[in-house]
Amino acid sequence: GLESRCTLELAAVRTQYPSAAPRLTAEPCVVHWEEAMDMLRDAGESVSGLDDLSTPHERLLGKLVADKYQTDLYFLDRFPTAVRPFYTMPCPDNADYSNSYDIFLRGEEICSGAQRIHDARMLSDAIKARGLPLEPLSAYIDSMRYGMPPHGGAGIGLERLVFLYLNLDNVRKASMFPRDPNRCSP
């Protein structure tokens, strides 16, 4: 893994920014939404179960997962459909949940992904259910009508991954050219 392939580089970084390697499991750790809500409730948190997580809840869940599964990296699967984009495929066993996930490292999101709706009629119904107009999305809907296979997508933040892997105190330390309101050019 990374710790063995990049021993010298990680040691150099860790002399200035001390950190321990994240704990990882041999197999991916997948926590389903329903279990995550139970874990938060058992920890005394008030969560409805179908609303999105707040940042403090994400961080607490990261600690709870780390304690229970001995890992700092996990997938949170089956997000509520209502908190995901209209094009996210609902779960086949319960449409209140979706075929979507986030990946967390040390209690913070590093990636978000999902299966997308590939059926034109289902997609149109999902758009209407959100109260959105169909017309501006007609080309997108048509692309499904012409034969789109099942597919998905994900977005990962490389700087967030490095920041959290090294347990840095600020994401700017993981960016070659950090941007903020006071710095807009390299």
Side-chain angles (χ1 to χ4, degrees), residues 81-170:
T81 302
V83 302
R84 292 306 225 198
F86 67 83
Y87 51 77
T88 305
M89 181 67 80
C91 286
D93 65 320
N94 185 340
D96 288 338
Y97 299 98
S98 64
N99 286 353
S100 66
Y101 62 90
D102 282 356
I103 303 174
F104 289 86
L105 179 60
R106 299 187 199 266
E108 298 202 35
E109 177 191 333
I110 58 169
C111 180
S112 192
Q115 179 185 5
R116 305 234 170 125
I117 296 174
H118 57 275
D119 176 85
R121 181 174 295 135
M122 182 186 283
L123 181 59
S124 294
D125 291 345
I127 292 168
K128 286 186 237 177
R130 300 283 177 106
L132 300 171
L134 292 174
E135 179 53 35
L137 297 164
S138 62
Y140 181 63
I141 297 166
D142 285 345
S143 70
M144 305 305 153
R145 188 170 287 115
Y146 301 138
M148 182 65 67
H151 65 286
I156 188 165
L158 183 58
E159 290 168 345
R160 285 182 60 80
L161 176 61
V162 172
F163 154 68
L164 293 165
Y165 188 92
L166 294 172
N167 207 20
L168 300 173
D169 64 342
N170 191 310

Side-chain angles (χ1 to χ4, degrees), residues 57-69:
H57 283 145
E58 287 179 351
R59 290 181 178 146
L60 175 58
L61 184 60
K63 289 177 183 167
L64 297 171
V65 169
D67 290 345
K68 183 174 182 178
Y69 294 108

